[in-house]
Amino acid sequence: MDVKNDIRAEKAKTIKKEVYRNFPMVPRVVFGRDSFDQLGDILMTKRAHSDAPFIFLVDDVFEGENLVERIPLIFNDQIIFVSADEEPKTTQVDALVKQIQNTFTELPSGIVGIGGGTLLDLAKAVAIMLTNKGGSASYQGWDLVHKAALYHVGIPTISGTGAEVSRTTVLLGPKKKLGINSDFTTFDQVILDPNLTKGVSKEQWFYTGMDCYIHCIESLNGTYLNAFSQSYGEKALALCNEVFMGDLVEEESRDKLMMASWHGGMSIAYSQVGVAHALSYGLGYLLGVKHGIGNCLVFQHLEEFYGEGVALFNKMRQKHQIELPKAICKNLTEDDFDTMVCVAMKMEPLWENALGKNWRETITPEKLKSIYRKI
Ligand code: NAD
Ligand code: ZN
């Protein structure tokens, strides 16, 4: 009898025990100025055979630029230029997959994404959808992918999103803007070459860089924070401080922002983003406002949630003379506001991270509308 009770007690203990998430990380990464030129050697070992090409998805901002000549094409490799004017859509991913399947009889050796968060996310999604059945919209959510993706490589050309390290690819689908969050989403290889970010405009540098800064603020002030997230978040925040408030020479600034993005992305793996991202998703869904600028538009009005973070954000904005667009929501209807509020309120883990389990006590549709009206 005693033995049985002991076993039960033991079992109860194991049931109560917390189960921790088992995260994938990028298994291989190169860091260094002009490390892009090592891409050919890296891919060589991953070529299935000469009929199985590498497909390079490249931001069309590089069309006709020197970077394209440095892409190590051999056999029947193909470059597909993609515009980053709009954020990735599920229909776009499905069309790219079809295009690749119609062009080649064999499955490619791999997919290489070259660009900002938009191109990195497209590369991740295409790699997943080349080995998984159906349309990409059916995989938007958490852990819905069951087959390993094709080998995929991420090469960022602008720093801040953390898309190069994350296990998600954010897609605009028919019903929602949501990531394909899975263990198979994470890149197999990343090349961090800060020199690739040289051509970015000051405004875009700031918006995408602030995505990283806001990841840090939301992660470090969230209820999900643990020592793992904190260690990455604090490092990323310190690097953002140097980049946006210090007086670094340009080379150093590019190096450091690239590493800030990496650490910021790692920080939100175990925690979550927060209020700015939830509201920015609403703006993105209704108005197509892009992630980086959308976060900035929202974040400037979030003193009540992130007082110190917003104060420093304003200093950074002033130092770099960035004028954010105004009156974005001026001519919207009540229905429009309802749509944005609905999208934002659905981001439950973000609210719970920001404000705890009882977040619904502070976050009401009226509250959110009042913030949107200021934008
Ligand atoms: P982006 O990829 O949308 O690019 C922004 C602009 O910068 C584009 O016009 C692009 O052509 C240009 N650009 C990029 N590199 C350049 C260069 N070297 N020189 C000149 N111009 C250059 O920007 P982003 O802010 O990096 O990415 C935003 C996207 O990332 C959104 O779709 C968002 O949903 C996604 N995102 C994903 C994650 C994730 O974890 N998967 C995280 C955050 C954001
Ligand atoms: Zn972000």
Side-chain angles (χ1 to χ4, degrees):
M1 199 54 188
D2 277 355
V3 174
K4 261 192 185 163
N5 278 343
D6 283 353
I7 292 172
R8 263 191 222 121
E10 265 316 302
K11 249 194 183 160
K13 255 195 239 160
T14 50
I15 289 167
K16 265 196 198 143
K17 223 171 155 187
E18 181 133 21
V19 179
Y20 298 99
R21 307 279 308 275
N22 184 7
F23 285 113
M25 286 170 76
V26 175
R28 280 183 178 268
V29 53
V30 178
F31 175 88
R33 298 175 197 163
D34 292 332
S35 57
F36 183 75
D37 294 325
Q38 288 168 228
L39 181 60
D41 291 343
I42 290 169
L43 298 185
M44 194 54 83
T45 61
K46 299 291 176 183
R47 287 187 184 270
H49 51 82
S50 57
D51 287 338
F54 267 102
I55 309 293
F56 298 85
L57 300 180
V58 183
D59 190 319
D60 70 0
V61 76
F62 296 112
E63 215 167 345
E65 297 287 323
N66 167 262
L67 177 74
V68 176
E69 280 154 37
R70 292 164 63 203
I71 295 175
L73 293 180
I74 50 172
F75 305 128
N76 53 349
D77 288 354
Q78 196 181 36
I79 296 178
I80 302 177
F81 288 108
V82 185
S83 162
D85 288 349
E86 287 179 14
E87 299 196 334
K89 296 191 179 63
T90 52
T91 47
Q92 186 186 11
V93 171
D94 297 344
L96 279 166
V97 169
K98 219 177 224 134
Q99 181 185 341
I100 294 167
Q101 284 167 338
N102 288 343
T103 313
F104 300 98
T105 46
E106 300 271 337
L107 202 59
S109 295
I111 304 293
V112 183
I114 305 177
T118 298
L119 265 291
L120 297 181
D121 276 3
L122 274 174
K124 290 170 167 184
V126 167
I128 289 170
M129 295 314 300
L130 277 167
T131 56
N132 285 275
K133 289 201 177 81
S136 52
S138 58
Y139 296 96
Q140 283 179 287
W142 280 270
D143 302 305
L144 302 172
V145 181
H146 296 296
K147 274 178 99 177
L150 207 61
Y151 174 76
H152 51 305
V153 181
I155 309 181
T157 63
I158 179 169
S159 301
T161 64
E164 65 280 14
V165 283
S166 73
R167 76 189 278 284
T168 189
T169 159
V170 185
L171 302 177
L172 187 65
K175 294 201 195 93
K176 53 199 169 190
K177 184 176 174 189
L178 186 62
I180 299 180
N181 298 266
S182 87
D183 285 352
F184 303 119
T185 309
T186 316
F187 283 114
D188 297 296
Q189 168 83 57
V190 168
I191 296 185
L192 298 177
D193 177 351
N195 277 350
L196 298 183
T197 67
K198 271 182 187 171
V200 178
S201 73
K202 185 180 80 172
E203 278 71 25
Q204 191 61 54
W205 165 79
F206 186 81
Y207 299 146
T208 301
M210 282 301 112
D211 190 24
C212 176
Y213 173 73
I214 296 170
H215 290 159
C216 299
I217 301 297
E218 292 185 326
S219 169
L220 292 170
N221 291 285
T223 61
Y224 290 179
L225 191 68
N226 62 15
F228 182 99
S229 293
Q230 189 178 1
S231 64
Y232 284 109
E234 284 175 353
K235 186 68 208 174
L237 185 59
L239 289 166
C240 284
N241 259 316
E242 282 189 73
V243 169
F244 292 101
M245 293 305 289
D247 290 302
L248 300 176
V249 295
E250 279 184 21
E251 280 83 10
E252 236 184 312
S253 170
R254 284 194 289 267
D255 287 3
K256 291 194 175 188
L257 191 54
M258 199 158 251
M259 286 321 297
S261 175
W262 183 273
H263 283 83
M266 285 302 299
S267 177
I268 43 179
Y270 242 117
S271 88
Q272 250 304 346
V273 282
V275 182
H277 276 77
L279 288 167
S280 173
Y281 268 71
L283 283 179
Y285 185 82
L286 183 78
L287 302 170
V289 175
K290 297 189 73 184
H291 189 84
I293 189 168
N295 285 346
C296 291
L297 287 169
V298 175
F299 194 70
Q300 62 180 335
H301 299 299
L302 299 184
E303 298 93 343
E304 98 177 73
F305 301 101
Y306 307 112
E308 278 177 37
V310 174
L312 184 55
F313 168 83
N314 285 329
K315 278 190 193 146
M316 292 171 170
R317 197 171 52 71
Q318 279 154 12
K319 180 171 159 99
H320 298 286
Q321 297 168 342
I322 302 290
E323 279 295 326
L324 292 173
K326 291 198 175 75
I328 299 285
C329 297
K330 194 172 162 206
N331 295 321
L332 297 185
T333 63
E334 261 328 281
D335 274 359
D336 289 338
F337 282 111
D338 287 339
T339 304
M340 291 196 293
V341 167
C342 185
V343 172
M345 297 266 293
K346 274 206 195 111
M347 311 304 292
E348 290 180 15
L350 281 64
W351 293 111
E352 193 179 303
N353 175 47
L355 302 161
K357 286 220 182 313
N358 300 326
W359 61 271
R360 286 176 195 278
E361 288 167 13
T362 17
I363 297 306
T364 60
E366 261 326 302
K367 173 93 210 167
L368 297 190
K369 278 185 207 173
S370 76
I371 301 174
Y372 279 131
R373 284 203 183 91
K374 291 184 197 164
I375 295 173

